[in-house]
Amino acid sequence: MRPRIVLFGDSITEQSFRSGGWGASLADTYSRKADVLVRGYGGYNTRWALFLLHHIFPLDSSIKAPAATTVFFGANDAALQGRNNERQHVPVEEYKDNLQKIVQHLKKASPTMLVVLITPPPVDEEGRMEFARSQYGEKAMTQPERTNEMAGVYARQCVELAKELGVCSIDIWSKMQETEGWQKKFLSDGLHLTPEGNAVVHQEVVKVFSEAWLSAAEMPYDFPHHSKIVPQDPGKVFQQKCW
Amino acid sequence: MRPRIVLFGDSITEQSFRSGGWGASLADTYSRKADVLVRGYGGYNTRWALFLLHHIFPLDSSIKAPAATTVFFGANDAALQGRNNERQHVPVEEYKDNLQKIVQHLKKASPTMLVVLITPPPVDEEGRMEFARSQYGEKAMTQPERTNEMAGVYARQCVELAKELGVCSIDIWSKMQETEGWQKKFLSDGLHLTPEGNAVVHQEVVKVFSEAWLSAAEMPYDFPHHSKIVPQDPGKVFQQKCW
């Protein structure tokens, strides 16, 4: 069974196999080398994600644990109290604590698992308001339910925790804001990703994986490239261990 | 472990997780319901695919066999003798025989597996010549290495075999040619698929899967939709069997 890469997260992970999505691109990058499985749950925060942990990453399974897992939560945890999506809000201290529980569980499932924490992306408050108006018209909220500043507070806690636990992290909140016009370039509705935004996540995940030990370029093909097959004796190359 | 859908085929399967690819779209369609795994091998014909069968679909595995498998070969088998890609050529009788061996193996791995044979796509000979010139300049072949007529011969054998064995098939060769301008609309280099061509394959696979018993719409979510979670008692819904 080939190595498995699990993408665990909220809607930004769930939607990652749409056209131009970072999950699909990752599956393409690791084609013939590792399987990419999506475990994305739209609307979920870290508090609710804890209920899924034992099902998605069982500790008593006969099946080998994933080689790598991305943990991409926080966009919903950071929803503001007293606003439209307050049911999703999780206080930042609990967010950090929940992330720690997730990492500890994954490391218990497999001490060698490559765990990569991804911070919530930045928020374009204007984009969120426009989206709300397009959905709810005049009934739309007049104040954003998420702010970029608050997403940044969660992002910093995520990065800090990764350092404390010695796992990798991707500060996508900061990374995206390095590019001028990130608000519309990378975000489709102020929160979810455009194809360009997906490309940034894909690129960063590949970078972190490669800097660790999961470099697609250095992993062997599962079977020989077709150019290595000798038509007169096709079976020969399949008996060899190195192609 | 959730149901698995394996995509077994040549480059048209291997490339199916690129932007707009039919494999990625299928993974999105079955999100939270089934895992889609790509087993695509660029350049392979059915003769060479036989060497992979026992590795990809082991008969003695403790892991449950896939719920469904698409078998999408023929584009390379149909490469003409005496032309540039003749090393990939497999006579049509052998192509049919190899496909039969593949189906029989899959049914041995799991009698309930939903097996869907997909014919080679049509060939735009002009597109192939243009592609060859862009790659090899003046050294390019002056005659196409594949013809649409020959791809059609293989497509008919594929459909006929599916009927004989009582498995599903998708005649993508015929389906695509129903649309005017299919040559450039669906094919990027006369053989491989554009995003629009990928959308046709995705649509046809979803249709056949749904008409059998693998309808994404009728399959349950793996875990509750976030709207079903009661913030004051989030654990409750996870204890219930129906969401």
Side-chain angles (χ1 to χ4, degrees), chain B residues 99-170:
Chain B
L99 274 187
Q100 179 165 350
K101 285 178 184 159
I102 292 171
V103 174
Q104 285 170 339
H105 181 91
L106 295 176
K107 287 292 185 181
K108 206 169 170 183
S110 165
T112 60
M113 191 191 298
L114 178 58
V115 177
V116 178
L117 299 185
I118 308 177
T119 73
V123 173
D124 170 31
E125 291 155 37
E126 195 186 284
R128 291 308 289 161
M129 300 287 276
E130 277 169 28
F131 173 74
R133 278 194 294 272
S134 75
Q135 293 282 303
Y136 310 108
E138 287 184 10
K139 289 182 189 167
M141 60 199 177
T142 51
Q143 289 181 301
E145 94 286 24
R146 288 169 172 87
T147 63
N148 190 43
E149 190 187 350
M150 188 55 84
V153 170
Y154 284 69
R156 277 188 291 282
Q157 289 302 309
C158 176
V159 171
E160 193 177 294
L161 178 74
K163 277 187 195 148
E164 287 170 22
L165 299 179
V167 299
C168 302
S169 70
I170 295 171

Side-chain angles (χ1 to χ4, degrees), chain A residues 182-196:
Chain A
W182 59 268
Q183 293 90 339
K184 307 296 177 217
K185 191 178 176 68
F186 296 147
L187 305 172
S188 61
D189 59 3
L191 180 67
H192 296 94
L193 308 178
T194 60
E196 289 80 5

Side-chain angles (χ1 to χ4, degrees), chain A residues 1-2 4 14-21 23-25 27-28 31-32 34-44 47-49 51-52 55-56 62-63 87-88 221-231 234-236 238, chain B residues 1-2 4 14-21 23-25 27-28 31-32 34-44 47-49 51-52 55-56 62-63 87-88 221-231 234-236 238:
Chain A
M1 200 169 171
R2 75 184 62 193
R4 286 178 301 134
E14 185 172 347
Q15 297 173 7
S16 70
F17 278 71
R18 293 191 183 169
S19 187
S25 299
D28 192 50
S31 175
R32 300 179 61 167
D35 286 327
V36 176
L37 303 181
V38 58
R39 294 293 181 269
Y41 300 91
Y44 273 59
R47 189 187 290 164
W48 303 340
F51 290 99
L52 313 182
H55 298 283
I56 300 177
S62 60
I63 298 166
R87 68 190 296 277
Q88 295 172 304
Y221 265 129
D222 53 353
F223 297 109
H225 189 269
H226 75 93
S227 62
K228 304 284 178 70
I229 301 171
V230 179
K236 194 178 173 188
F238 291 97
Chain B
M1 202 169 167
R2 74 183 64 195
R4 284 178 304 133
E14 184 172 347
Q15 296 173 7
S16 71
F17 278 72
R18 292 190 185 170
S19 188
S25 299
D28 192 50
S31 174
R32 301 180 60 169
D35 286 328
V36 176
L37 303 181
V38 59
R39 293 293 180 269
Y41 301 92
Y44 273 59
R47 188 187 290 164
W48 302 340
F51 290 98
L52 312 182
H55 297 283
I56 299 177
S62 59
I63 297 167
R87 66 189 298 276
Q88 294 172 302
Y221 265 131
D222 53 352
F223 296 110
H225 188 270
H226 75 91
S227 62
K228 303 283 178 70
I229 301 172
V230 179
K236 195 178 172 188
F238 291 97

Side-chain angles (χ1 to χ4, degrees), chain B residues 177-190:
Chain B
Q177 292 182 76
E178 288 171 9
T179 299
E180 203 174 335
W182 59 268
Q183 293 90 337
K184 307 295 176 217
K185 191 178 175 67
F186 295 147
L187 305 171
S188 61
D189 60 1

